[in-house]
Amino acid sequence: MLLYNGEFIPESELQLPLTNRAFQFNDGFFETVIVANGKLRFWQDQVERIQAASKVLKLVLPKTIVSGELEKQLLQLAKQNNAANYGRLKLKLWRSGGGLYTPETNQADWLATITPGTPAATTPLHIGTCETITTNYSPFSFFKGPNALLYVMAGLEKKDKGFDDMLLLNRQNQVSELTSSNIFWFKKEVLFTPAIDTGCVLGIVRQNILKWAKQAGIRTKEVYFDVASLLKADTVLSCNVTGIRSIASINGEAVSIDESFVQQLREQIFS
């Protein structure tokens, strides 16, 4: 089952016109949401990012989303698709109507899909530095969708080189993010992460880790560092809504791992 503009329909009945602006112009964005134990993980944070992205794109959100009714519908969709215990939900929003570059309306259409799954692995990652693309800071780089092709190309390079993930740099060769995760590193009691204007996504778990560190009295810095800085860290980790994982090597060079710190983060962020 799918949830299309607030209506539950079988996947076989979904029909989108050729004028669909998500298809024609990538005129929209998406959110990835994890359903775990009958709840939408970090849902309020995701709603806030939906609202921020819609404001930037000048999209008018449907009343279902604004009123809070959407959460109930998404959980119902999860139950229908046997994904209430654990599932990966994708919520896609795009501008309605046709038109060319100039839209006919700013009203938004939306579609939610969900598939059952299992929690992500926690084994350490071996990553490489992406050479084919760089991140680019813009009004659209903090949310998912408009820059999706960057991550597709990084994914192809990852596949070709046999790494678990790729480290993306900006045009100044500063560390930005991974293909679908934010990155942190811990050194001398300070927790570092790339600044948002390196072009990284304003990740939901990134925000929650920074909040947790502040409450725990751990110093944090949002920085502009190169790859060499990561190699000197006490531990390096990736994070997104699916989980937190240590990074074991970068371009074949081993980095330190403090798995106890990473496990502490998992317990605090995802409890």
Side-chain angles (χ1 to χ4, degrees), residues 51-169:
Q51 292 173 327
S54 298
K55 183 176 180 180
V56 169
L57 294 179
K58 301 186 185 301
L59 286 176
V60 178
L61 292 172
K63 291 182 179 179
T64 301
I65 296 175
V66 177
S67 68
E69 181 66 23
L70 180 59
E71 181 178 10
K72 297 178 183 178
Q73 291 191 330
L74 293 177
L75 288 174
Q76 185 177 346
L77 180 67
K79 290 180 180 179
Q80 291 182 357
N81 288 344
N82 299 315
N85 289 333
Y86 194 92
R88 188 183 185 94
L89 187 151
K90 185 171 183 178
L91 177 62
K92 176 76 176 177
L93 298 97
W94 65 92
R95 205 179 315 270
S96 303
L100 299 177
Y101 284 119
T102 303
E104 296 173 344
T105 177
N106 286 328
Q107 296 294 322
D109 286 332
W110 60 277
L111 173 69
T113 61
I114 185 168
T115 55
T118 56
T122 58
T123 51
L125 297 166
H126 298 273
I127 69 172
T129 301
C130 192
E131 297 177 347
T132 55
I133 60 97
T134 58
T135 59
N136 302 297
Y137 176 66
S138 76
F140 317 113
S141 55
F142 76 88
F143 55 93
K144 300 177 181 180
N147 295 320
L149 191 56
L150 293 178
Y151 307 111
V152 171
M153 299 309 297
L156 289 174
E157 185 175 343
K158 175 188 74 173
K159 185 177 180 181
D160 289 342
K161 294 183 175 179
F163 287 110
D164 297 323
D165 210 336
M166 300 302 290
L167 180 63
L168 276 59
L169 311 179

Side-chain angles (χ1 to χ4, degrees), residues 133-251:
I133 60 97
T134 58
T135 59
N136 302 297
Y137 176 66
S138 76
F140 317 113
S141 55
F142 76 88
F143 55 93
K144 300 177 181 180
N147 295 320
L149 191 56
L150 293 178
Y151 307 111
V152 171
M153 299 309 297
L156 289 174
E157 185 175 343
K158 175 188 74 173
K159 185 177 180 181
D160 289 342
K161 294 183 175 179
F163 287 110
D164 297 323
D165 210 336
M166 300 302 290
L167 180 63
L168 276 59
L169 311 179
N170 65 8
R171 292 177 180 176
Q172 291 74 42
N173 288 320
Q174 297 163 335
V175 174
S176 180
E177 60 185 345
L178 301 173
T179 57
S180 59
S181 307
N182 288 117
I183 187 167
F184 280 84
W185 58 102
F186 196 58
K187 183 175 177 61
K188 294 182 178 179
E189 305 303 317
V190 179
L191 189 60
F192 298 90
T193 196
I196 285 298
D197 56 3
T198 61
C200 64
V201 170
L202 185 62
I204 299 299
V205 174
R206 178 187 185 276
Q207 296 178 66
N208 279 274
I209 289 177
L210 291 173
K211 290 178 186 176
W212 168 81
K214 183 178 180 179
Q215 294 171 353
I218 297 173
R219 290 178 59 204
T220 62
K221 290 187 178 181
E222 298 181 52
V223 296
Y224 308 90
F225 280 7
D226 58 16
V227 178
S229 301
L230 274 62
L231 297 173
K232 301 173 184 177
D234 297 327
T235 195
V236 187
L237 58 95
S238 73
C239 64
N240 61 24
V241 292
T242 68
I244 300 173
R245 299 178 71 175
S246 299
I247 292 174
S249 69
I250 302 173
N251 299 319

